[in-house]
Amino acid sequence: MRVSVLGLGIMGAGMAHNLVAKGFEVAVYNRSPDKAAPFAAKARIAVTPAEAARDADIIIAMLSDDDASRGVWLSDGGALGAARPGAIIIECGTLSPSWVRELAAAAGKVGVGFIDAPVTGSKLQAQEGTLRFLAGGSPSDLLKAGPVLGAMGSETIHMGGVGSGVLMKLVNNFLCGVQVAALAEGLAMAEKSGLDGEKTRAVLLGGAPGSPLVKAVAGRIAAGDYTANFFPGLMAKDLDYAGREAAKLGLTLETAAAARKRFLEAVKAGYADKDIAAIIEPLRHPAGD
Ligand code: NAP
């Protein structure tokens, strides 16, 4: 099976490596060519999305946001124009349901199948091939895409029709973003009040607030290790998309908006290319401190 991967960032690179390792014939495209270079010996490197998509049975995209996805699929030299009828798109980015449905409709017009399959798990799970896919699409497209999804992940949960995968992902990351923002505020409060750091962590992580995410991020904060697993700007994007989607349902996600503010503060303070754990730094050192 010929598989194309569009987007070789933190997540896409790990996913493409697993497809190569599991024997698929892979073509890759990345806007910045330096991230494609490590694939030179094991995959076909394409200079445009269209060139990557040509002849592919399955075309995977793992891009930052709606704008990046729209450009890669629909611009001049975009992937959809080159996709052959019968191919299947697997859109893995955390995108908005409205964009995903628009793209699926455009794909349908040229006989191309579509699955939205955003992921839970992060850099490590992408590298290890243990992502969890939250999929929206038809059962028959999912069946055809099964071997490819299985090469990159340990589980695929079929949420329903097109758009239901990204909807589930936005609800998921809304809860994740709020937890990380609350952790940063709580730890900053404990630090400023002089509470012992080790005991604070033991109480929080050993008790009800100690979710897997809170444990992982608290560990990185304690170690001062802000090596990027997930960029704060992308979490802010997820909280924005979640808030907009909720608004269409007549809901206001107050906590998503507050958390998003914290992630944007981290971006503004110079942590755009660091991990979400760096969200605590502007709280430790407010502007002017
Ligand atoms: P990343 O490392 O920033 O990668 C983003 C990718 O999108 C890169 O290939 C980048 O190309 C490309 N891109 C951005 N803007 C573009 C544009 N205008 N035109 C063409 N390509 C563009 O991000 P990531 O962490 O891999 O995340 C990818 C997606 O997965 C996002 O939707 C994110 O929310 C989601 N996600 C991330 C994680 C995580 O833990 N990291 C977990 C689950 C889901 P360049 O290299 O040229 O910039």
Side-chain angles (χ1 to χ4, degrees), residues 37-104:
F39 289 88
K42 41 197 170 187
R44 178 167 67 83
I45 297 179
V47 296
T48 63
E51 200 187 290
R54 192 176 8 97
D55 299 334
D57 300 302
I58 305 267
I59 312 164
I60 297 166
M62 194 45 159
L63 303 153
S64 312
D65 55 18
D66 287 0
D67 289 345
S69 172
R70 181 182 287 278
V72 164
W73 287 110
L74 299 187
S75 64
D76 275 356
L80 186 57
R84 60 166 190 78
I88 296 175
I89 290 171
I90 310 180
E91 223 334 328
C92 292
T94 305
L95 307 176
S96 71
S98 52
W99 160 241
V100 156
R101 291 189 191 112
E102 185 185 333
L103 179 57

Side-chain angles (χ1 to χ4, degrees), residues 1-163:
M1 210 185 245
R2 282 173 302 224
V3 184
S4 298
V5 180
L6 313 174
L8 301 169
I10 288 179
M11 300 299 284
M15 293 159 70
H17 275 298
N18 272 297
L19 291 166
V20 170
K22 286 161 193 166
F24 291 95
E25 195 182 315
V26 177
V28 294
Y29 163 79
N30 197 69
R31 175 182 61 176
S32 315
D34 56 308
K35 290 183 195 158
F39 289 88
K42 41 197 170 187
R44 178 167 67 83
I45 297 179
V47 296
T48 63
E51 200 187 290
R54 192 176 8 97
D55 299 334
D57 300 302
I58 305 267
I59 312 164
I60 297 166
M62 194 45 159
L63 303 153
S64 312
D65 55 18
D66 287 0
D67 289 345
S69 172
R70 181 182 287 278
V72 164
W73 287 110
L74 299 187
S75 64
D76 275 356
L80 186 57
R84 60 166 190 78
I88 296 175
I89 290 171
I90 310 180
E91 223 334 328
C92 292
T94 305
L95 307 176
S96 71
S98 52
W99 160 241
V100 156
R101 291 189 191 112
E102 185 185 333
L103 179 57
K109 281 190 188 141
V110 291
V112 171
F114 187 93
I115 298 166
D116 51 307
V119 303
T120 65
S122 190
K123 180 163 73 176
L124 181 68
Q125 290 73 25
Q127 288 168 345
E128 291 180 339
T130 56
L131 293 168
R132 182 167 62 160
F133 291 95
L134 310 175
S138 74
S140 63
D141 282 347
L142 261 152
L143 196 64
K144 290 182 208 157
V148 169
L149 292 171
M152 302 181 291
S154 48
E155 191 182 7
T156 298
I157 301 174
H158 188 191
M159 297 303 305
V162 166

Side-chain angles (χ1 to χ4, degrees), residues 217 220 225-232 271 273-279:
V217 174
R220 288 180 221 151
D225 179 5
Y226 299 148
T227 311
N229 290 276
F230 187 28
F231 295 126
Y271 297 97
D273 60 351
K274 303 291 182 203
D275 190 65
I276 48 170
I279 187 181

